[in-house]
Every structure is written in structure tokens, then in C-alpha cells.
Amino acid sequence: MSEGWEDCPVLPVGWKRREVYRRSGATIGKSDTYYMSPTAERFRSKVELVKYFGDSLDLTYFDFKKGLILPPSTKIRKAVKRPSTTSCDGEEQDWQPTPKKKVKVTESHSPIEVKMEKDSTTESLASDPLDTLIVCCEDCQQWVPGVMFGARKRRFKFYCAECRARRRELGRKLNYYKRFGCGECDGCTVMEDCGICRGCMVRNTNPTKNWKCVKRRCQKLKEIKAEA
């Protein structure tokens, strides 16, 4: 336990000092200073020493890191006041709250004003014949009234709600059978690639592309596409 401890002549007889260097972490190479009293009590900060000695020893110009007494002309950095702190004498110090920063208040619209603005925008869109149209569905060829298009979507294909739901379901089925297959058709039962088709040639030239052999493709895909 006494390894690394040295006598501190500045403090009373029996006091020892030890400096330990950090061996890991972001603060590697920096040192921590510890003091030990004759009764084997350890202190790791100047505040703890001041509380321990009280008025019996003046540690105003004591350098905790080096273990020396600084000259009286040295400027001592004052500690920042914190809430609910106590002085060396044990008396509670008065704490004053820090002044709050002024925050710039911006004008905020009430919910009624925002609703009126939205109503005005919808009325302006409805008044424009190019925004509200009667559009024909590309799949079922039925006319759907009251369709609103933006400036960027006037050239895209339009599908009604039923056709969109049907196309989404069709996409899910196609993706499932492309990845896993049905496991019953002739394509799913083949275990080896032919090595001649386009899929095999592309996969051989570029291994990053996961193209499937034509003979091993699920035949259920053709049936689903034919039904669609």
C-alpha cells in the first residue's frame, strides 16, 4: 500500500503524496494526484483537503497538483458558484439564479387562421380546371371524377383505387414466387443450372448479380402474369 507514496513537506508531518499516470482511455498520459493523511484517509481534490483542515491550515496558495506553496502574488482562479453549495466553515452560501436569455418571440397563427388559409388554398385549387380533372383509369378504362394532379404528375398513368390495390397484390405475389418459388412446378424441382441461358451467362461474368437460371424459374409466374 505504501508503494509510490512520498512525504509532502508542505503539509503536516505524516502526510504523503502520490501521482498516478493514466494508462488507457482518451486521457492517456495525464496524471492524477492523491494525498493520504496519517490515519490512512485519502483525498483526491483540494476541496476535500480544505474541508478536512478547516481553519487550522490555510491552503489558499497551495498547489494541489504539484504539492507546493505558491507565492502570494500568484493569481488564484476562483471557483464558479453552484446551487446548494457550502463554504469551508459549513455555512450555506446564498445562490442567485442566472439570468435567463431573451428569446425572440415569433408571430404564431391560431388554428382558426390556419384552417382558413387551408380552405382558401383548396378553393383556389378547385377553381383551377387543370388541378381537378376527370381521368380515365389505364387498367379498367373507367372515368374517375374529382382527381387532383400536381404540376409534376399530369403526364403519369392513372389507376383507380381498385386497380391500384389489385396491382399491389399482384406485385407481392410476383416477388414471392421470384424469390422462393412454388416448390411444385418443373422449374422449382430442377437443382442444377444449365450454364447456357442468359441468366447463367450474366451471373458467370458478374458474380454480384443474382440472376436465376431460365430453366429454374418458377412456372407459376407465367400463370399469374397471364391472369393479370
Side-chain angles (χ1 to χ4, degrees):
M1 296 296 293
S2 61
E3 184 179 358
W5 292 98
E6 299 178 355
D7 294 334
C8 184
V10 177
L11 298 178
V13 180
W15 281 82
K16 296 183 179 181
R17 174 179 172 274
R18 183 182 181 184
E19 189 172 1
V20 181
Y21 289 91
R22 301 176 185 176
R23 299 181 180 179
S24 61
T27 58
I28 185 173
K30 293 187 178 181
S31 62
D32 297 323
T33 307
Y34 301 91
Y35 288 84
M36 185 169 62
S37 66
T39 58
E41 295 183 26
R42 297 188 181 184
F43 302 88
R44 56 182 302 174
S45 65
K46 185 177 179 180
V47 178
E48 295 178 0
L49 282 179
V50 171
K51 289 182 179 180
Y52 180 82
F53 284 107
D55 296 335
S56 60
L57 184 64
D58 187 11
L59 299 176
T60 305
Y61 297 99
F62 176 69
D63 190 347
F64 185 86
K65 195 73 175 177
K66 299 179 181 179
L68 302 173
I69 297 295
L70 301 176
S73 60
T74 307
K75 293 183 180 180
I76 304 299
R77 185 177 62 180
K78 295 182 179 179
V80 181
K81 290 184 179 180
R82 295 180 181 178
S84 66
T85 56
T86 55
S87 62
C88 300
D89 301 334
E91 298 178 357
E92 295 186 357
Q93 298 178 353
D94 296 334
W95 174 76
Q96 296 179 357
T98 56
K100 297 182 179 180
K101 296 182 179 179
K102 295 182 179 180
V103 181
K104 294 183 180 180
V105 181
T106 57
E107 296 182 359
S108 59
H109 300 282
S110 62
I112 300 174
E113 295 178 357
V114 174
K115 187 176 181 181
M116 292 177 64
E117 290 179 359
K118 290 183 178 179
D119 295 339
S120 62
T121 53
T122 52
E123 290 177 0
S124 62
L125 291 174
S127 61
D128 191 355
L130 295 177
D131 291 324
T132 305
L133 303 173
I134 300 176
V135 188
C136 179
C137 178
E138 294 286 342
D139 196 355
C140 62
Q141 300 298 321
Q142 292 184 0
W143 291 91
V144 181
V147 179
M148 297 181 65
F149 278 101
R152 300 179 180 179
K153 295 184 179 180
R154 289 173 185 167
R155 297 181 181 178
F156 286 85
K157 293 182 180 180
F158 173 77
Y159 297 94
C160 62
E162 296 180 359
C163 293
R164 287 198 298 270
R166 186 167 58 254
R167 287 173 66 85
R168 283 195 294 268
E169 186 65 24
L170 176 64
R172 293 192 189 98
K173 288 183 179 180
L174 291 175
N175 291 332
Y176 176 80
Y177 287 112
K178 280 182 181 179
R179 295 181 61 186
F180 307 105
C182 64
E184 300 175 354
C185 64
D186 297 337
C188 294
T189 55
V190 177
M191 302 302 295
E192 296 181 358
D193 298 336
C194 65
I196 305 172
C197 66
R198 183 183 177 186
C200 294
M201 297 296 291
V202 171
R203 190 172 64 253
N204 292 333
T205 55
N206 191 357
T208 58
K209 291 187 178 181
N210 191 15
W211 284 37
K212 207 169 188 178
C213 179
V214 176
K215 292 185 178 181
R216 296 185 61 190
R217 292 179 183 176
C218 183
Q219 301 297 326
K220 194 84 172 178
L221 295 172
K222 295 182 180 179
E223 298 178 5
I224 295 173
K225 291 180 180 178
E227 293 176 0

